[in-house]
Structure formats: structure tokens, C-alpha cells
Amino acid sequence: TTVASGRAGQNLKKLKKLGRCRSCDLRNVDLEKAVLKENAFLMKANLTEANLTGAWGNSRTRLTGAIFCRTKLPSGIDNSGC
């Protein structure tokens, strides 16, 4: 399920279509169980309160510099960027 509106909704569409969304606002986006394109590129994305449980593409998914704050990951909640 993916629920987002406004800028986050537009960025989510971009991510799904292109497999990349550098410096995107993806706050509150629900990507639970979403299939990301191979080599998804989310460098510097704002993933505050996003749900990424079960959403990882593969080992080459790029998240360098992404903001994690109350972000749900398969390993638990990440608050490293709060």
C-alpha cells in the first residue's frame, strides 16, 4: 500500500516510474512491501516517518545521506536523522 499526497505523492510516482528520486521529500510515504526497481537511488531523500518495511530493492539500493527520523525499517525504527 502506498499513500501520499502533495509533493511526497509526486515524488513517490517519480520513484516508482524511474527508480530514483534524489533529494526527494518522501515524508510519511508508505512503501511497505513495495518493490523498488533494481538499484533504486534515494540519496539525500527525506524519509521521515516513512514506512519501508519490506520495501528494499536489492543490495545496490542507494540511501547515502537519506534522512531517517521515525522511519520504519525491516530492522525497526530508525531515528538517526532526528
Side-chain angles (χ1 to χ4, degrees):
T1 304
T2 54
V3 178
S5 60
R7 165 119 28 242
Q10 293 169 353
N11 288 333
L12 179 57
K13 288 178 184 176
K14 178 180 177 180
L15 173 62
K16 286 180 161 185
K17 182 177 181 180
L18 303 175
R20 63 185 179 273
C21 200
R22 184 178 179 151
S23 300
C24 281
D25 176 2
L26 292 170
R27 289 176 289 177
N28 300 302
V29 168
D30 184 357
L31 286 170
E32 183 178 13
K33 299 180 184 175
V35 177
L36 299 177
K37 292 186 183 250
E38 187 173 330
N39 303 328
F41 190 85
L42 291 165
M43 294 176 74
K44 299 183 180 181
N46 185 346
L47 298 169
T48 298
E49 296 186 350
N51 182 358
L52 300 173
T53 54
W56 301 110
N58 64 28
S59 63
R60 293 187 282 183
T61 299
R62 300 290 176 240
L63 295 165
T64 305
I67 299 168
F68 296 101
C69 183
R70 296 178 301 279
T71 305
K72 294 179 185 176
L73 301 174
S75 59
I77 303 294
D78 187 334
N79 287 314
S80 62
C82 291

